[in-house]
Amino acid sequence: GQNIDQPTEMTATEGAIVQINCTYQTSGFNGLFWYQQHAGEAPTFLSYNVLDGLEEKGRFSSFLSRSKGYSYLLLKELQMKDSASYLCAVRDSNYQLIWGAGTKLIIKP
Amino acid sequence: IAGITQAPTSQILAAGRRMTLRCTQDMRHNAMYWYRQDLGLGLRLIHYSNTAGTTGKGEVPDGYSVSRANTDDFPLTLASAVPSQTSVYFCASSDTAGGTDTQYFGPGTRLTVL
């Protein structure tokens, strides 16, 4: 079967750095996405990786290793507004997105 | 309209009733999707449409139907609602013509079936 694993919840301190991991086992691979979802709101797109390596976008970076079936989202200089759920999704061989259950990130002052 | 809109925002429905959730996008995206999101689970695909006039089944299609008469609209119908269909429903769209084919989401419909 297809599976996306992420930690259920993480806690970090304002101003710090946090890394959210995602491991996947899917039938085929055509890209990996990270989305942010604030409570009661829609998911919003953060990043996309299709080749191995690090993609940097301001305070957020995303890393991919296809051989390990592994990605992480790195958030730097954490702000209170970063408190949200972070969703990892992999596009499989049928070009459908398979979603993880999400990681709830709690930021403490 | 900017992006994707969904209606209603929330609804309480008696079991056995018929309900249509509406979704409209103004980005001229060719592909559209319906997901449900339940606590502790990832988003699950119900139905999708790669282009106007075509639809396909996702992971959890039973009890739901869709139509895609034009590019902009993609309604989701529950023919006879059951309590297990209580969920938050998100519509999404993407441009599959090139690039990353990123999906963009509407604000969601919170549905409670009693």
Side-chain angles (χ1 to χ4, degrees), chain A residues 30-90:
Chain A
N30 287 292
L32 185 144
F33 295 81
W34 283 97
Y35 281 76
Q36 180 189 60
Q37 186 177 25
H38 285 101
E41 298 183 7
T44 56
F45 170 71
L46 285 178
S47 69
Y48 170 74
N49 295 70
V50 67
L51 299 176
D52 290 351
L54 189 67
E55 293 281 343
E56 296 187 80
K57 240 190 214 184
R59 293 189 299 115
F60 292 7
S61 303
S62 56
F63 172 83
L64 174 67
S65 169
R66 289 172 296 170
S67 62
K68 295 182 179 177
Y70 168 70
S71 172
Y72 67 73
L73 181 70
L74 191 72
L75 292 74
K76 303 175 187 174
E77 301 168 17
L78 286 170
Q79 302 175 9
M80 297 304 293
K81 67 178 182 179
D82 297 329
S83 292
S85 288
Y86 291 86
L87 314 181
C88 174
V90 172

Side-chain angles (χ1 to χ4, degrees), chain A residues 30 33 35 37 39-48 87 91 94-102, chain B residues 33 35 37 40-45 48 50 57 59 90 99-108 110:
Chain A
N30 287 292
F33 295 81
Y35 281 76
Q37 186 177 25
E41 298 183 7
T44 56
F45 170 71
L46 285 178
S47 69
Y48 170 74
L87 314 181
R91 189 155 58 205
N94 293 319
Y95 265 72
Q96 299 299 343
L97 285 184
I98 309 301
W99 295 82
Chain B
Y33 315 83
Y35 291 94
Q37 187 174 42
L41 298 177
L43 288 160
R44 291 184 291 170
L45 183 65
Y48 64 93
N50 288 329
K57 293 181 180 180
E59 179 186 356
F90 287 104
T100 64
D101 186 15
T102 299
Q103 293 186 17
Y104 296 93
F105 287 78
R110 185 174 296 274

Side-chain angles (χ1 to χ4, degrees), chain B residues 10-85:
Chain B
S10 64
Q11 182 76 44
I12 299 174
L13 190 66
R17 297 297 295 268
R18 180 184 179 89
M19 175 75 191
T20 295
L21 308 185
R22 299 184 298 279
C23 174
T24 300
Q25 55 107 356
D26 67 354
M27 298 178 284
R28 308 303 294 173
H29 285 171
N30 56 310
M32 297 186 75
Y33 315 83
W34 274 106
Y35 291 94
R36 60 178 288 173
Q37 187 174 42
D38 302 291
L39 199 62
L41 298 177
L43 288 160
R44 291 184 291 170
L45 183 65
I46 304 170
H47 284 287
Y48 64 93
S49 169
N50 288 329
T51 188
T54 69
T55 62
K57 293 181 180 180
E59 179 186 356
V60 289
D62 294 344
Y64 306 95
S65 64
V66 291
S67 61
R68 186 89 184 275
N70 57 61
T71 297
D72 299 344
D73 301 300
F74 191 44
L76 176 74
T77 297
L78 289 67
S80 179
V82 295
S84 61
Q85 292 178 312

